Amino acid sequence: MAPDPWFSTYDSTCQIAQEIAEKIQQRNQYERNGENTTKLTVTIRALLQKLKEKIALLKDLLLRAVSTHQITQLEGDRRQNLLDDLVTRERLLLASFKKEGAEPEPIRSSLMTGGAKRAVPNPWLFEEPEETRGLGFDEIRQQQQKIIQEQDAGLDALSSIISRQKQMGQEIGNELDEQNEIIDDLANLVENTNEKLRTETRRVTLVDRKSTSCAIKVERCIEVKYRCKASPPNLFFFFKCFFLSQMKKNYLYYTCI
């Protein structure tokens, strides 16, 4: 697989920044010696413009990689820190070019070693995490893809759990609706039963009232006939038993309606 374009662009940008620092130091040396610095000034301006364009390209590549999930959030933060350091270094170089600050640090270090040029190590490599230290671009990409796959699997599991919880909630809601319908039917049945009980109670009360009135009238008639000696002595008892049997039949009839 091809190397990551962001890191290749980043390395070339660091080289441009190092070259600008060396050119600025050379220009300052020419000025102290009274030599012409016009050519160096034009070269430094061109390199500064190129450095600015490279940093803009790095920003665009980083934004595209983060938005399309080509890299993890941790890797995106690490690259952003590297990019911020480059932006700070660009400002220092521009200030040094305009003679608004001190000379670049790498050049002062080379002067202390007798002016010999030496490669300046990339200070951001010391901030690289243990997980990616010593790995190549392809290995880092594979590690990032593995992390993304694990995250996707975790999201799928979470989605499945949420779906099951939603289904359980719907089933509980349906069960509650059925229970509410059963309770409503039971309430209607109880109301109907109470109404029937009230109706039957009224009927029994009416039958009892009518039976009592009829019994009183029959007893009076029998008593009158007995006094007039129009019937034998046990006629009163006979009519009373007959009347009570009729009351019992009427009561059973009304209660079975």
Side-chain angles (χ1 to χ4, degrees):
M1 297 178 62
D4 194 326
W6 195 91
F7 282 106
S8 59
T9 305
Y10 173 77
D11 291 337
S12 62
T13 306
C14 290
Q15 292 176 1
I16 293 174
Q18 175 64 24
E19 184 178 358
I20 292 173
E22 294 175 355
K23 294 293 184 182
I24 291 175
Q25 174 60 28
Q26 186 177 2
R27 185 203 64 175
N28 294 341
Q29 185 68 29
Y30 281 4
E31 288 179 350
R32 286 193 291 268
N33 297 333
E35 300 179 9
N36 188 6
T37 60
T38 303
K39 186 176 180 179
L40 278 176
T41 301
V42 173
T43 302
I44 294 172
R45 288 183 185 277
L47 290 174
L48 286 172
Q49 181 63 29
K50 189 176 181 180
L51 177 63
K52 183 178 180 180
E53 294 174 355
K54 287 282 189 179
I55 292 176
L57 178 60
L58 286 173
K59 291 181 179 179
D60 183 64
L61 291 175
L62 179 58
L63 179 62
R64 190 180 308 170
V66 172
S67 60
T68 57
H69 302 287
Q70 295 179 5
I71 59 176
T72 62
Q73 185 63 38
L74 180 62
E75 177 63 20
D77 294 339
R78 189 177 76 90
R79 295 187 184 186
Q80 184 62 49
N81 292 333
L82 296 177
L83 187 57
D84 293 340
D85 291 337
L86 266 181
V87 172
T88 302
R89 192 174 183 184
E90 178 196 13
R91 293 175 182 174
L92 292 176
L93 290 173
L94 184 60
S96 179
F97 172 70
K98 295 179 180 180
K99 298 182 180 180
E100 296 175 355
E103 295 181 353
E105 181 69 23
I107 301 303
R108 294 204 305 269
S109 300
S110 61
L111 289 175
M112 294 176 63
T113 58
K117 295 183 179 180
R118 60 185 182 90
V120 179
N122 191 345
W124 302 292
L125 291 179
F126 296 101
E127 300 178 1
E128 187 174 2
E130 293 290 341
E131 293 80 2
T132 58
R133 184 170 299 174
L135 299 179
F137 294 139
D138 296 339
E139 294 173 341
I140 293 176
R141 174 174 293 182
Q142 291 176 1
Q143 187 179 31
Q144 293 172 353
Q145 291 177 351
K146 183 179 179 181
I147 294 174
I148 292 174
Q149 291 175 358
E150 292 176 354
Q151 292 176 349
D152 292 340
L155 291 176
D156 293 339
L158 180 60
S159 176
S160 178
I161 293 173
I162 293 175
S163 299
R164 288 198 299 270
Q165 294 292 335
K166 179 180 179 181
Q167 184 178 0
M168 291 175 61
Q170 292 175 349
E171 292 177 356
I172 292 174
N174 295 334
E175 183 66 22
L176 289 176
D177 292 339
E178 294 178 359
Q179 295 296 330
N180 289 332
E181 292 178 359
I182 293 174
I183 292 174
D184 293 338
D185 295 339
L186 182 60
N188 294 331
L189 181 60
V190 171
E191 183 65 27
N192 294 334
T193 304
N194 290 334
E195 184 65 27
K196 289 182 180 180
L197 287 175
R198 287 192 291 268
T199 302
E200 295 301 326
T201 302
R202 288 195 298 268
R203 288 181 180 180
V204 171
T205 303
L206 179 61
V207 170
D208 183 64
R209 187 182 299 113
K210 289 183 177 180
S211 299
T212 304
S213 178
C214 292
I216 293 173
K217 290 180 180 179
V218 170
E219 287 180 358
R220 287 180 180 178
C221 291
I222 294 174
E223 184 179 359
V224 171
K225 290 182 180 181
Y226 179 73
R227 289 179 181 179
C228 296
K229 297 181 180 181
S231 59
N234 59 351
L235 183 61
F236 175 76
F237 179 74
F238 172 76
F239 275 104
K240 189 174 183 178
C241 292
F242 176 77
F243 177 74
L244 291 175
S245 65
Q246 291 298 324
M247 287 179 59
K248 185 176 182 181
K249 290 181 180 179
N250 291 334
Y251 176 76
L252 293 174
Y253 171 75
Y254 281 108
T255 55
C256 293
I257 295 177

